[in-house]
Amino acid sequence: MEWLAEYGLFAAKALTALVVVFIILVMVASLRGRQRRGEGVLQVTRLNDQLADMTDRLGQAVLDKPALKALHKSRKQEARARSKGGADRDKVFVLNFNGDIKASALESLRHEVTAVLELATPRDEIVLRLESGGGMVHAYGLAASQLTRVRDAGVPLTICVDKVAASGGYMMACIGDRVLAAPFAMLGSIGVVAQLPNFHRVLKKHDVDYEMLTAGEYKRTLTLFGENTEKGREKFQEDLENIHRLFKQFVSRYRPVLNVDEVATGEVWFGTEALQKALADEIRTSDEYISQRIRQADVFEVHFHRPKKLQDRLSSTMSAALDRLLLTWVSRLYNQRFW
């Protein structure tokens, strides 16, 4: 019993020390987070070096000594050629945009474009790897405006679509001087959609009144809980048609080779079909194109991000853990594998 009491006292002291250390770490992280609030980090990766490192690792595993020696010799020759070229070598800046319905990646894109345009010249190139199925009109309108800054600056802009650039995503893609699409990438969806449920009859059934006061004839056209009128529906449809008209005008401005009336039906086309419809200029993946440019120029991948606060990181970790737990439980329940 005496040993057990001593062990309990030791455990209590150790636990107290751990709690104190944890509190100190949280306070330090919180202070650092407050100091860096609003700041972001611009990460720049030279893809030429990244590819060379991967090739060297693979070569060490699969090549014999003479072949490996020849590879190293060719690397040195390429390095000498680059040093002779110096500042005269062309530069390619690679950006990434993975869009959701709110175009959340816009925050990074606007900083990346601003930074690159400070250095890029008309002899350089900006390559945007774009993946988006579209989303909110105002959000993707602003995202597209960031790319028009590149066009206005006279810097060549190449858009690479490996999976999808639809609706607002294609609004961004059409700004490129060239649009490259993978064979089964989805492009198009030049249209506008809006949908919402209406609970008026449910409320009426349960004798619930819903009041909405507005100033202005068309301040609110369709509502979730009020009784919608035919006049409101007509105005809402008129607004959608107006947005669609502006969408088509925007696409026509930046892609005059496209027959907008033929493709502005809300449909999507896969890579080779998109090429036939002039929605794309070439069938090629972003990996293939960037690998080619690495042999011709200095290629830099640019990414801007804001460090997450401690509570955000903890929340993301907990959310990911719960998702994995739920997926594991469901897979065991149904005896299936989820990929």
Side-chain angles (χ1 to χ4, degrees), residues 243-311:
I243 295 172
H244 191 207
R245 177 180 58 81
L246 294 174
F247 192 174
K248 292 193 294 183
Q249 288 178 353
F250 187 88
V251 174
S252 297
R253 175 184 176 186
Y254 288 99
R255 198 161 182 82
V257 297
L258 187 64
N259 185 345
V260 176
D261 291 332
E262 180 184 356
V263 298
T265 58
E267 298 173 83
V268 296
W269 287 269
F270 291 95
T272 52
E273 298 174 330
L275 180 63
Q276 296 172 359
K277 297 286 185 180
L279 290 162
D281 298 301
E282 188 176 346
I283 300 300
R284 185 185 292 193
T285 64
S286 64
D287 305 297
E288 180 183 359
Y289 181 69
I290 292 174
S291 296
Q292 174 190 328
R293 297 297 282 137
I294 286 175
R295 294 190 291 269
Q296 301 167 341
D298 292 327
V299 182
F300 303 91
E301 185 173 19
V302 180
H303 175 61
F304 178 89
H305 76 99
R306 296 186 186 277
K308 290 185 178 180
K309 299 178 182 178
L310 177 61
Q311 56 266 35

Side-chain angles (χ1 to χ4, degrees), residues 130 132-134 140 161 164-175 179 186-190 247 250-251 255 258 263 278-280:
L130 173 64
S132 176
Y140 275 91
V161 182
V164 58
S167 195
Y170 191 76
M171 176 184 284
M172 296 177 64
C174 72
I175 300 172
V179 178
M186 299 171 61
L187 288 83
S189 189
I190 303 174
F247 192 174
F250 187 88
V251 174
R255 198 161 182 82
L258 187 64
V263 298
L279 290 162

Side-chain angles (χ1 to χ4, degrees), residues 67-85:
L68 188 60
K69 185 177 180 180
L71 177 63
H72 290 160
K73 183 178 180 181
S74 66
R75 291 272 184 248
K76 292 180 180 179
Q77 292 174 347
E78 292 175 2
R80 284 196 294 268
R82 285 199 304 270
S83 63
K84 289 181 180 179

Side-chain angles (χ1 to χ4, degrees), residues 323-338:
D323 289 343
R324 286 195 297 269
L325 181 62
L326 180 61
L327 184 59
T328 302
W329 180 79
V330 172
S331 63
R332 288 179 179 177
L333 180 64
Y334 290 96
N335 193 27
Q336 295 178 354
R337 291 182 178 272
F338 292 80

Side-chain angles (χ1 to χ4, degrees), residues 7 30-32 37 49 55 69 97 116 120 155 163 183 190 218 227 255 260 265 271-272 282 319:
Y7 177 77
S30 178
L31 289 173
R32 292 184 62 185
R37 184 175 298 170
D49 298 335
T55 304
K69 185 177 180 180
F97 186 93
V116 170
V155 180
K163 295 179 182 178
I190 303 174
Y218 295 114
E227 183 177 5
R255 198 161 182 82
V260 176
T265 58
T272 52
E282 188 176 346
S319 178

